[in-house]
Amino acid sequence: MSAELEEKIRDDLAKAGMLSELRARKVFADAGWRVRGPGAYFDREEEKSREGDFYATRVHSSRADGAPPIHLEFSAVAEVKKSERPWVVFKRPLEEFERGCAWNNLIARINLPCEPHALVSSLTEHSLLRTLGWEGAGIHESFKSPDQPSKWYSAFVSSLKWASHMTDECPHSDDIHPGNDESVELYFFQPLVVLDGRLFSAELDSDSGIAVTEIKSAAFRFDYASKVYDKDSFRVDLVTVDGLGEYIPLLENRQSSIAYGIQAKLASGRGHDGSAA
């Protein structure tokens, strides 16, 4: 292969966004996550198979003395977009009571030892929404011609559809089994859009002008109404490639927080000697 052809291939891959995807995959892999994809999912709305970019999974397994085992799987279901134009997130500050981020996520569960609402604080802690204290209320792709389609919207939809498909494929059980000896399983799927480009937030400042700040991530309550999905609002995170190094520990801390919360509920339902209370 000539050096000229090799350079053209590299340029073509970069323009197609493949370099962006490889960079994002590597950050997850270097953090110890299992990375898979591209992968296929079934688009229930359009009744056809589609391809997603990649997903990264981290497994947490634990078992306290006298308690059933806990198996938690976290998967970031990612769509990667490269943009030479900056993306601008419209910033909406949140009151404290609006910062919950629990069962409105995509979660499959089996044999929880308590009612779901008892784990709200564990699920919310370390979420990007709680960490930032604000949510995105739309995205503007700077300097884009009005006749060009939006990259961000299609990426959000693709990510949530793939994550929804993965959630549906998991075994489910809504039964509560306090003090049971069966394993507790929880599967968490985070729709994620990774931007290889610059990201900014915009909000009104004290002088009623617009304050623009460069950021690395934003959390969204993304509304998507469709008769084929049970949910019409999804939690989608947007993170730059450069921001993944700070974002991944949030996911890991969140996973650990949920595990501790489940362990506490299991312990409260059993005696000190490990027997059922």
Side-chain angles (χ1 to χ4, degrees):
M1 181 187 301
S2 69
E4 182 180 1
L5 177 58
E6 183 178 344
E7 184 65 25
K8 286 183 178 180
I9 291 174
R10 281 198 296 266
D11 289 344
D12 183 63
L13 288 172
K15 290 178 181 177
M18 294 306 300
L19 179 59
S20 306
E21 184 176 330
L22 291 173
R23 288 180 61 204
R25 291 168 63 103
K26 186 177 186 301
V27 181
F28 275 99
D30 288 348
W33 290 55
R34 184 184 67 191
V35 181
R36 295 290 184 271
Y41 66 93
F42 184 69
D43 185 333
R44 284 192 286 158
E45 189 174 39
E46 300 192 19
E47 297 187 332
K48 64 182 180 181
S49 180
R50 291 189 177 276
E51 185 179 71
D53 286 342
F54 76 89
Y55 66 95
T57 301
R58 183 177 188 262
V59 177
H60 176 106
S61 297
S62 61
R63 183 170 191 169
D65 290 343
I70 299 172
H71 179 84
L72 302 183
E73 287 192 15
F74 258 51
S75 294
V77 186
E79 287 292 317
V80 182
K81 291 298 179 184
K82 179 178 175 58
S83 177
E84 299 298 332
R85 303 183 182 96
W87 288 13
V88 182
V89 176
F90 299 112
K91 185 175 180 180
R92 187 175 86 86
L94 298 175
E95 299 293 339
E96 181 64 29
F97 70 88
E98 297 179 290
R99 298 178 187 180
C101 187
W103 296 104
N104 48 0
N105 290 280
L106 292 168
I107 300 172
R109 60 188 188 270
I110 298 175
N111 294 332
L112 282 182
C114 59
E115 294 293 339
H117 66 78
L119 293 173
V120 165
S121 60
S122 297
L123 281 159
T124 297
E125 188 178 13
H126 301 298
S127 68
L128 183 61
L129 186 79
R130 166 70 71 173
T131 301
L132 295 177
W134 59 271
E135 70 177 4
I139 297 175
H140 171 70
E141 296 176 27
S142 300
F143 319 122
K144 179 181 74 66
S145 174
D147 60 352
Q148 291 181 321
S150 296
K151 289 183 177 181
W152 78 268
Y153 186 84
S154 61
F156 273 48
V157 172
S158 296
S159 180
L160 74 85
K161 284 186 174 182
W162 192 8
S164 295
H165 170 82
M166 295 176 73
T167 308
D168 292 340
E169 292 294 298
C170 283
H172 291 256
S173 172
D174 292 332
D175 297 332
I176 308 300
H177 301 282
N180 78 89
D181 292 323
E182 300 180 40
S183 63
V184 179
E185 301 178 29
L186 189 143
Y187 302 86
F188 189 107
F189 299 95
Q190 176 63 62
L192 173 65
V193 174
V194 180
L195 173 66
D196 187 359
R198 299 185 71 179
L199 183 65
F200 294 82
S201 68
E203 61 183 326
L204 288 177
D205 62 19
S206 57
D207 298 322
S208 296
I210 299 178
V212 177
T213 305
E214 187 157 13
I215 58 176
K216 294 182 179 180
S217 60
F220 288 79
R221 183 186 290 109
F222 181 67
D223 293 333
Y224 186 76
S226 171
K227 63 182 179 181
V228 303
Y229 293 107
D230 295 332
K231 296 168 63 69
D232 57 11
S233 183
F234 298 81
R235 290 296 188 188
V236 182
D237 287 346
L238 170 63
V239 184
T240 65
V241 173
D242 292 337
L244 286 174
E246 299 174 17
Y247 174 73
I248 292 173
L250 277 181
L251 294 179
E252 296 174 350
N253 290 336
R254 194 177 191 187
Q255 187 179 29
S256 297
S257 178
I258 296 169
Y260 294 147
I262 292 175
Q263 287 172 353
K265 296 304 178 183
L266 287 170
S268 66
R270 309 179 73 86
H272 293 296
D273 61 355
S275 60

